[in-house]
Amino acid sequence: MTDTAAAEALDSAIAVIGMSGRFPGAPDLDTYWKNLLGGVTSITDFTEEELLADGADPDEIRGRDYVPAKGVLAGADRFEAGLFGFNRTEAAALDPQHRLLLQTAWSALEDAGHDPLGAPRRTGVYVGGGVTEHMLAAQTDPALAARIGALQVRILTDREFLAPWISYRLGLDGPSLTVQTACSTSLTAIHLACQALLLGDCDTALAGGVAVDTVRSRGYVHYQGGIFSSDGRCRPFDEASGGTVPGNGVGVVVLRRLADALADGDPVRAVIRGSAVTNDGSARVGFTAPGVDQQTAAIVEAWTTAGLDPADAQYLEAHGTATELGDRIEATAATAAFKGALGTNSIGLGSVKANIGHLDAAAGVAGVIKTVLMLEHAVIAPTAGAGRAHPELALDDSPFHVVTEAEPWPEPEYGPRRAGVSSVGIGGTNVHVVLEQAPPRSRGAESPDPQVLLLSAHTEDALRALAGRLATALRAPEAPTLADTAHTLRFGRTPLAVRAYVLAADREEAAIRLAELAEGRTAVAPAVAEDLRAIGEAWLRDEMLPWPGQGRRVSLPTYPFGGESYGALTLGTASASREQESRQADSMAPDPRTPSSGAPDAQLPDAQLPDAQGPEAGDGLDASVRALLVETLGLNDAGDLGMTYFAAGGDSLAAVHLVGCLRDDFGIDVPLTLFLEELTLDELARRIVESREPDDALDALLSEFENA
């Protein structure tokens, strides 16, 4: 390749500047890497007791072909709702995939050293997800629709709104696309994000995917000739392979044009040199079957776009479902594409599905994140449980060898470390991405000046957890400089309500002070740098003084999301809810005193009837309106009515729903603009009650009788 061609190829390079993910057995990427390096299989085997306790069908799980195994994502029902502006009712209705993707997008931006609520302008979002039990249950539950509105249910649960919610809650104004190509969804999303960056549609992009079909403990039924393994283990390209295992997970990467990332000092973790997407069309034996030619074409096109040859690769992260047909076709296609490799068996071959199962819409991004971590650590992780390669794949005469144990990955003589990542979707969409190690970045000189580290979180517990993570990070061998750490905490994090600061002269002292903070002890401040102390005290008061130092964005521990469990709707629960409503309808005559706000047992006592006559009528209507606000906004009780509507998590859709309920249930017509005013909910309720127009004729008649 000529120097000109090489320069043009680099002009089309995309930097991975941040990433975040949660996978089976791995709540964060540090744990994910440790599991990958150790060849850990993170598939959970459920006991019968666990399955029954989580509502499984006893007859199904005791069947001969039931396999009680899955790649489980722990804590998939937990959510920091308040951090993202959702009230309790919305958070409970919000699909777990939306919750997880919002938090992972936040963490990915933090990993890139960017404030999640102050991300660069023209940041796009390209993500996708799968069908969930929660979504199906919510959209078939009339009680939920009555309570919060049918449109709100759809917006909070349908996967087509995965990307828009991220754009809305994080204030991102670039394109916002929800991508769906089945199992290749998240790798397709990454490809589309790269294309958007190169075309100038956006300057920064979030890309990835999520898959949480259910938060309940569930296995699957094995069918002879189907895609699922008979023993709950996935063994790609292995002689013992027999199918895949389902799993749940989420991953997001932050992308920028390489030239922009380098110019702005972003922490580049890897480089995407090229990508391509194809479809098998009708050139396959069936709709769900893969095809050879277009898989080969996707690989060749991606490397051609990169200005490289597939032979330049040292590793291929394959789709690797461990199905007989899938592995055979993928091996054939890859062998044809990489045929020019330097030497037989010179390219490592693996699939992360052996570790975590098949993550469906999140499978591709799981493979990308794995490969970026290997490029960073210069180690090729083993394929978990790999033994002898399947003889029918003819890998002995191919460019590949299945990686059975961790291998050093030195930088080749002819260029940087490079790898390909493939993903194949049911329906025929094939994607391939070419990854390359990041250009070298100097660590930076350690400043002799003391620094102030500004910390904030949504809760006290989160603040302590964050301090503990930072303390550990600053003691790591490759820890960033204290000045870069301070700079990133100041400019690469969203200022939240619970705050603290630490003063330190060096990294070790900072780690000690942070550890004290994590343990709930008051950090002892050094008797120096009063100007820095003034900055810290101003930070506590939500003020800011001029920042005194210089630094770069670096990768630091991200926000320690916890949050409470908001559960998830299940089809059985929705069905039971409808049956309960039906029984109540059969046992009770229609009662005009019962509001249609979605709570079937929310019958009001006579004194609270909105149309009751007498001196209590106003009090009753006021109580009913307040109860409606409490229910719709998911407040704990009427004591929370001192907040404003938007502070309580209200939005325009909830306002539309409330306007409809007030009109239909209480005969009150209020303008939508009333909810846009800066009123406490207490004042809002009073204004709503006062807006009810009296019947002038009836009032005049009553007055005439009283005066007679």
Side-chain angles (χ1 to χ4, degrees), residues 110 113 115 452-456 466 470 474 482-495 502 514 539 547 552-554 556-557:
E110 283 194 335
D115 176 352
V452 55
L453 307 184
L454 307 179
L455 287 77
S456 72
L466 178 59
L470 284 168
L474 288 177
L482 193 59
D484 287 347
T485 299
H487 177 85
T488 301
L489 291 174
R490 167 63 183 92
F491 296 105
R493 297 295 185 265
T494 297
V502 163
L514 288 166
W539 168 253
W547 187 251
R552 305 174 303 174
R553 284 187 287 273
V554 291
L556 294 174

Side-chain angles (χ1 to χ4, degrees), residues 595-613:
S596 59
S597 60
D601 56 349
Q603 183 172 339
L604 299 174
D606 288 346
Q608 293 185 6
L609 291 179
D611 56 351
Q613 300 300 320

Side-chain angles (χ1 to χ4, degrees), residues 76-77 92 94 96 99 133-134 137 214-216 565-570 573:
D77 59 343
L94 191 67
R99 304 173 196 162
E133 183 182 32
H134 178 97
T214 179
V215 301
R216 296 194 288 176
S565 170
Y566 284 91
L569 299 176
T570 66
T573 303

Side-chain angles (χ1 to χ4, degrees), residues 626-676:
R626 290 168 185 270
L628 177 63
L629 292 173
V630 167
E631 179 187 45
T632 301
L633 297 174
L635 306 178
N636 292 322
D637 52 48
D640 291 335
L641 295 180
M643 295 185 288
T644 65
Y645 174 73
F646 286 103
D651 58 20
S652 57
L653 276 176
V656 171
H657 175 69
L658 284 166
V659 168
C661 288
L662 290 167
R663 181 186 62 247
D664 297 341
D665 297 344
F666 306 124
I668 302 176
D669 285 315
V670 296
L672 189 63
T673 54
L674 180 61
F675 292 88
L676 305 180

